[in-house]
Amino acid sequence: MAILVTGGAGFIGANFVLDWVAQTDEKIINLDKLTYAGNLQTLASLEGDPQHVFVQGDINDGALLGQLLTEHQPRAVINFAAESHVDRSIHGPEDFIQTNIVGTFRLLEAVRGYWKGLPEALRESFRLLHVSTDEVYGSLEAQAPAFTEQHAYAPNSPYSASKAASDHLVRSYHHTYGLPVLTTNCSNNYGPFHFPEKLIPLVIVNALAGKALPIYGDGQQIRDWLYVKDHCSAIRRVLEAGQVGEVYNVGGWNEKPNLEIVERICGLLDELQPRADGNPYHNQINFVADRPGHDRRYAIDARKLERELGWKPSETFETGIRKTVEWYLANQWWVQGVQSGSYRDWVARQYGGQGE
Ligand code: NAD
Ligand code: DAU
């Protein structure tokens, strides 16, 4: 038996692949385009392991998808592949439309063709799991209840709009063609191998380099944080026992304002690797211009997943963020590897002199 994942060289996909190989004997085929966000160094520990088959390619390439499906006959496909950074979607939405919308469509078409041709028993048990985000639900008022699966879609950025479109396509392939799909909508992840363009790894990396810690606007925007390994366990559980055609929200019940997150990281670094001059990392905080259209608050109600499938996160924010800071301190080689020319170009473009 085998499963096929797309985007398995990115942050969540690679964590999923590493956990899969550690916890199962099942083969995992990993199709990834290796954009700036994809990184084979993250998967270096799997080199030479026949359980993991890496293929560099694009989910827009229907012929390649068809060939991989025919060759490996997976019992499930998990779609992690996406352009994932909101700020990049504001600077240049085109790639988001191409990968998140058109790419998901091409994947659905290839999977539908493959699934139709399977013998009945395999057709029954086959699953396509689409990994999506809480951002499709838009922004919450301060006192509003957390997003349930029934919340109306109201995406506000080109990124979230492209993910919303992909979710709708996935839904339509179930209702129209009977394709056995599952969708997960997860809150903000953090943990090992997180690309340092996103808030938590950016702050850790900048703090250690003596650079400014950029906080957009007033820093009171709220995100609901989940340790990446808990997201991976939720995906495994939904794949194993989720009801076909259903949507599951995934979250950690960890709503926190951005400024509190940054202060927490500064405090951990003060403890684990104090600055040479004895000053607190807090002094590096720098309030910068806000993100256009910045969503104020996300919060996930993950009770359906707990009630129906018995899933709960195993990390609290306190345990997860400590593990994360410790991981970055111990894995500077990985950070240096991803800080290539294209990373430096992005930082210069997004933060100008303010991020230095
Ligand atoms: P990421 O940007 O770190 O990784 C994306 C991966 O997809 C990269 O390896 C990249 O090379 C690959 N990719 C991009 N375009 C491709 C294409 N056309 N064909 C094949 N591969 C392609 O993203 P991530 O943070 O790991 O997110 C993974 C998925 O989870 C995304 O769908 C994202 O929307 C969703 N998600 C992310 C979070 C989060 O907090 N990071 C939360 C909820 C949901
Ligand atoms: O909610 C799930 C989403 O979480 C995923 O779908 C996205 O793929 C993922 O990137 C993430 O989106 P966010 O926009 O919430 O994550 P980001 O790390 O970019 O920003 C987190 C918060 O921190 C957000 O309110 C913006 C703020 N921020 C971010 C950066 C990069 C800053 O204040 N300064 C920064 O430099």
Side-chain angles (χ1 to χ4, degrees), residues 6-14 31-39 57-60 79-85 98-100 103 130-134 159 163 184-190 193-195 197-198 225 231:
T6 69
F11 166 47
I12 303 170
L31 172 68
D32 195 296
K33 187 178 174 182
L34 295 182
T35 67
Y36 79 92
N39 183 0
D58 193 325
I59 57 167
N60 282 288
N79 184 29
F80 292 98
E83 288 293 335
S84 70
H85 191 33
Q98 195 57 45
T99 285
N100 300 0
H130 177 61
V131 179
S132 193
T133 169
D134 60 0
Y159 162 68
K163 290 297 292 186
T184 53
N185 291 89
C186 188
S187 60
N188 285 62
N189 285 214
Y190 66 100
F193 304 114
H194 204 182
F195 194 78
E197 65 185 351
K198 309 281 170 67
W225 295 94
H231 187 188

Side-chain angles (χ1 to χ4, degrees), residues 276-336:
D277 62 8
N279 286 320
Y281 283 98
H282 162 97
N283 290 2
Q284 289 168 233
I285 287 177
N286 182 30
F287 288 88
V288 300
D290 208 351
R291 171 186 281 176
H294 199 169
D295 284 338
R296 196 71 182 164
R297 175 177 166 236
Y298 304 141
I300 276 281
D301 181 335
R303 280 179 296 183
K304 176 179 176 183
L305 186 51
E306 182 176 348
R307 192 177 57 244
E308 296 186 8
L309 304 184
W311 176 88
K312 268 189 190 180
S314 57
E315 300 289 345
T316 63
F317 187 71
E318 282 59 41
T319 59
I321 194 68
R322 180 175 285 275
K323 278 188 183 174
T324 303
V325 171
E326 285 172 349
W327 185 88
Y328 276 89
L329 288 172
N331 290 279
Q332 285 295 303
W333 65 272
W334 183 87
V335 174
Q336 280 146 21

Side-chain angles (χ1 to χ4, degrees), residues 44-82:
S45 62
L46 301 182
E47 221 176 289
D49 187 336
Q51 196 186 338
H52 174 240
V53 178
F54 181 79
V55 180
Q56 183 171 5
D58 193 325
I59 57 167
N60 282 288
D61 185 344
L64 174 62
L65 286 167
Q67 182 201 313
L68 289 174
L69 291 164
T70 307
E71 184 184 342
H72 297 284
Q73 299 280 306
R75 68 172 177 92
V77 172
I78 306 178
N79 184 29
F80 292 98

Side-chain angles (χ1 to χ4, degrees), residues 58-60 82-84 88-89 92-106 157-166 169:
D58 193 325
I59 57 167
N60 282 288
E83 288 293 335
S84 70
R88 287 187 191 252
S89 84
E94 181 92 35
D95 287 347
F96 290 73
I97 307 306
Q98 195 57 45
T99 285
N100 300 0
I101 306 180
V102 182
T104 301
F105 160 69
R106 300 248 183 266
S157 71
Y159 162 68
S160 54
S162 68
K163 290 297 292 186
S166 70
L169 283 169

Side-chain angles (χ1 to χ4, degrees), residues 203-267:
V203 164
I204 299 171
V205 166
N206 276 14
L208 292 172
K211 294 183 177 173
L213 312 180
I215 310 252
Y216 296 163
D218 62 3
Q220 293 308 313
Q221 301 83 6
I222 291 175
R223 297 293 182 267
D224 185 351
W225 295 94
L226 181 69
Y227 192 62
V228 63
K229 302 282 180 193
D230 279 328
H231 187 188
C232 294
S233 76
I235 291 170
R236 288 194 302 275
R237 184 68 191 134
V238 171
L239 183 65
E240 187 178 32
Q243 287 292 310
V244 164
E246 288 292 310
V247 172
Y248 297 90
N249 282 356
V250 188
W253 304 100
N254 280 311
E255 279 186 65
K256 299 206 183 298
N258 294 335
L259 190 56
E260 189 181 321
I261 298 286
V262 175
E263 294 282 12
R264 184 88 191 99
I265 295 169
C266 289

